[in-house]
């Protein structure tokens, strides 16, 4: 699943391709992939794309007329635009270059200027919802979502949220989207390495100062990833069809098992924490036993 930096690079790319365009028709090829909430498809036809936002890992396309399309790519979703300008974003498959629609196409939006937007999803976990813009914040997972990494006062809100998980290990705690929006496996490992925190340390054994350090580190590593165009995960490309290069340039632990720590030269190891593959330096990140 793409993480916050990857979704943010998609959002920025989409701004260049569809903002200002008008939706002329929609063809739903798989009913599970598209849902109208307190509205109908009629509210979509003729609407213009005003703005594209992101909340956590969700894309929000605001339309004229007071409606929005909320999109979650999940594991294998992709957005492909074909027209005067072409691009593909999401899970890379042959569909990026194939004639569309194909077997993975779930929804097709016909835009003006002979442009089409295809929502493809091999495993059918991704989705698009059309709803009144005022109701987007009421979507359950968005309503429970924690602050964005760069919001004003994020450290205080992060601290308040994470203290509700006192007996949890720090890694699964920061992966909880109600604690902070958008942190996934890559940036959890990177922020814990940056703060010399063992991922199995219990939240109750970490000081407020250390937790705030983790919060700030998460924001920094995600910003650095956004600036470099996202990670080069095997299942992800960014909005112009190219891959980001965060992992090659900046990753300190993620997928570096067997390589020397950039800080102390100890060999990076890979283990499992709460069922998630986890990378750490056994010397820099000693388990706190307070």
């Amino acid at each position: 699943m793409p993480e916050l930096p990857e979704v943010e690079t998609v959002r920025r790319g989409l701004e260049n391709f569809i903002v200002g365009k008008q939706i002329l028709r929609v063809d739903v090829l798989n009913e599970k992939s598209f849902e109208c909430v307190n509205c109908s498809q009629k509210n979509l036809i003729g609407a213009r794309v005003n703005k594209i936002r992101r909340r956590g890992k969700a894309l929000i396309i605001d339309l004229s007329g007071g409606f929005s399309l909320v999109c979650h790519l999940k594991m294998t979703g992709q957005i492909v635009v074909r027209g005067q300008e072409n691009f593909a974003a999401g899970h890379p498959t042959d569909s990026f270059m194939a004639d569309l629609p194909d077997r993975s196409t779930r929804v097709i939006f016909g835009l003006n200027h002979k442009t089409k937007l295809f929502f493809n999803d091999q495993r059918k976990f991704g989705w698009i919802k059309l709803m009144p813009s005022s109701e987007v914040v009421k979507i359950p997972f968005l309503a429970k979502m924690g602050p964005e990494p760069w919001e004003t006062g994020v450290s205080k809100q992060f601290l308040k949220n994470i203290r509700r998980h006192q007996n949890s290990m720090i890694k699964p705690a920061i992966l909880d989207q109600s604690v902070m929006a958008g942190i996934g496996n890559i940036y959890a490992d990177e922020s814990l390495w940056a703060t010399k925190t063992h991922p199995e340390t219990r939240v109750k054994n970490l000081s407020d100062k250390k937790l705030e350090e983790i919060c700030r580190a998460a924001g920094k590593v995600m910003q650095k990833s956004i600036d470099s165009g996202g990670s080069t995960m095997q299942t992800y490309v960014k909005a112009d069809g190219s891959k980001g290069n965060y992992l090659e340039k900046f990753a300190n632990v993620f997928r570096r098992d067997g390589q020397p720590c950039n800080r102390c030269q100890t060999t990076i190891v890979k283990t499992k924490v709460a069922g998630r593959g986890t990378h750490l330096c056994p010397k820099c990140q000693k388990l706190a036993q307070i």
Side-chain angles (χ1 to χ4, degrees):
M1 185 182 297
E3 298 189 27
L4 184 153
E6 287 71 59
V7 178
E8 176 62 17
T9 56
V10 173
R11 185 199 68 78
R12 294 181 182 188
L14 279 175
E15 281 188 327
N16 298 323
F17 293 101
I18 68 170
V19 168
K21 286 187 168 59
Q22 187 177 23
I23 299 173
L24 303 180
R25 63 176 294 164
V26 58
D27 296 303
V28 179
L29 307 184
N30 181 69
E31 292 183 358
K32 292 182 179 179
S33 300
F34 185 88
E35 179 184 3
C36 294
V37 181
N38 295 329
C39 62
S40 71
Q41 290 186 22
K42 292 180 180 179
N43 300 114
L44 185 63
I45 307 306
R48 290 190 181 276
V49 177
N50 285 342
K51 183 180 180 181
I52 303 177
R53 299 180 283 139
R54 177 197 53 74
R55 181 71 172 106
K57 303 175 187 180
L59 287 170
I60 303 166
I61 302 173
D62 291 325
L63 308 172
S64 60
F67 293 89
S68 296
L69 289 165
V70 184
C71 176
H72 205 307
L73 297 177
K74 292 292 184 178
M75 296 181 67
T76 61
Q78 15 171 263
I79 294 175
V80 180
V81 174
R82 298 281 173 83
Q84 295 175 345
E85 297 178 293
N86 302 324
F87 83 92
H91 180 75
T93 67
D94 292 341
S95 296
F96 278 168
M97 303 300 295
D99 291 333
L100 294 176
D102 66 6
R103 291 189 305 172
S104 70
T105 302
R106 310 303 174 197
V107 187
I108 306 170
F109 297 93
L111 311 178
N112 58 344
H113 303 299
K114 297 181 180 180
T115 299
K116 288 186 177 181
L117 187 153
F118 298 87
F119 178 67
N120 302 330
D121 187 13
Q122 287 182 331
R123 302 179 75 175
K124 302 181 184 179
F125 293 149
W127 48 260
I128 298 176
K129 297 180 189 292
L130 174 68
M131 62 177 60
S133 300
S134 60
E135 296 184 12
V136 171
V137 294
K138 299 177 184 178
I139 297 176
F141 83 95
L142 291 179
K144 297 177 182 177
M145 192 171 288
E148 293 283 321
W150 308 283
E151 284 182 18
T152 301
V154 62
S155 293
K156 291 183 179 179
Q157 188 60 47
F158 173 86
L159 188 60
K160 178 181 177 181
N161 292 344
I162 204 165
R163 283 299 182 197
R164 298 171 183 154
H165 301 263
Q166 287 285 71
N167 292 318
S168 297
M169 294 181 288
I170 184 61
K171 179 170 180 178
I174 62 175
L175 286 174
D176 187 328
Q177 297 299 291
S178 69
V179 172
M180 180 190 284
I183 298 181
N185 210 38
I186 299 173
Y187 305 105
D189 283 0
E190 291 295 311
S191 58
L192 293 176
W193 178 87
T195 56
K196 298 183 179 181
T197 307
H198 194 286
E200 292 182 335
T201 306
R202 300 288 171 180
V203 172
K204 64 184 179 182
N205 291 337
L206 293 168
S207 66
D208 287 358
K209 180 180 179 181
K210 176 61 72 174
L211 289 170
E212 289 176 339
E213 286 178 8
I214 293 169
C215 175
R216 289 192 294 270
K220 287 180 181 178
V221 297
M222 285 193 281
Q223 184 61 60
K224 189 176 290 186
S225 182
I226 290 171
D227 293 341
S228 67
S231 69
T232 54
M233 295 297 290
Q234 185 177 352
T235 56
Y236 176 78
V237 296
K238 56 181 180 174
D240 61 3
S242 64
K243 292 186 177 182
N245 59 4
Y246 174 82
L247 292 183
E248 284 83 354
K249 286 188 174 182
F250 304 115
N252 288 295
V253 285
F254 192 82
R255 290 192 172 177
R256 292 194 67 244
D257 41 305
Q259 300 180 46
C261 172
N262 290 331
R263 190 162 46 209
C264 72
Q265 303 305 303
T266 301
T267 300
I268 299 295
V269 300
K270 181 179 181 181
T271 184
K272 277 197 173 183
V273 176
R276 302 295 299 271
T278 299
H279 304 78
L280 62 99
C281 171
K283 182 176 180 181
C284 290
Q285 297 170 263
K286 292 182 179 179
L287 186 60
Q289 299 287 354
I290 300 174

